[in-house]
Amino acid sequence: MFGFHDAVQLQAAILIHNAFIADRNFVLGNAQVADLPIIYCNDGFCELTGYSRAELVQKHCSCDFLCGERTNEFSAREVKEALRGQEEKHVEILYYKKDGKIKSITIILAF
């Protein structure tokens, strides 16, 4: 039965979610598949990049398709290496939106 204590725990979980996750733009990749495809992205990430969820799902979760002429190769390599090494890393990188506009982002890779 769902009691008062359960309701308090649920409310706490919702508050934590809203404080730490709701304002983040993110993708989730499937680490059990060799090419690490995106299996989910939130609405914020779609807005940030200009791509629809359908366009993003199954692309590599390193988001290398967002790299362009002014993207630092070292930063792009850092993202891929962090994914291979499964370590948390913060990377500043220039990505290109679908419309070609440049967007500077800080990526936090977490496992």
Side-chain angles (χ1 to χ4, degrees), residues 50-91:
Y51 288 90
S52 70
R53 187 170 285 116
E55 291 174 300
L56 292 168
V57 171
Q58 297 304 314
K59 290 191 181 289
H60 195 280
C61 70
S62 69
C63 297
D64 56 355
F65 59 93
L66 297 174
C67 293
E69 185 178 307
R70 293 182 51 201
T71 302
N72 181 305
E73 289 181 36
F74 177 77
S75 296
R77 213 173 21 256
E78 286 279 290
V79 171
K80 287 185 178 182
E81 287 175 10
L83 289 169
R84 277 194 295 274
Q86 296 184 346
E87 61 188 55
E88 184 172 314
K89 186 166 257 182
H90 294 231
V91 179

Side-chain angles (χ1 to χ4, degrees), residues 14-24:
I14 291 169
L15 288 172
I16 290 169
H17 173 269
N18 290 340
F20 296 104
I21 298 173
D23 66 338
R24 306 278 192 238

Side-chain angles (χ1 to χ4, degrees), residues 26-33 35-41 59-62 83 110-111:
F26 65 91
V27 298
L28 297 177
N30 184 348
Q32 295 182 352
V33 177
D35 54 347
L36 301 171
I38 293 172
I39 57 172
Y40 177 78
C41 58
K59 290 191 181 289
H60 195 280
C61 70
S62 69
L83 289 169
F111 300 91

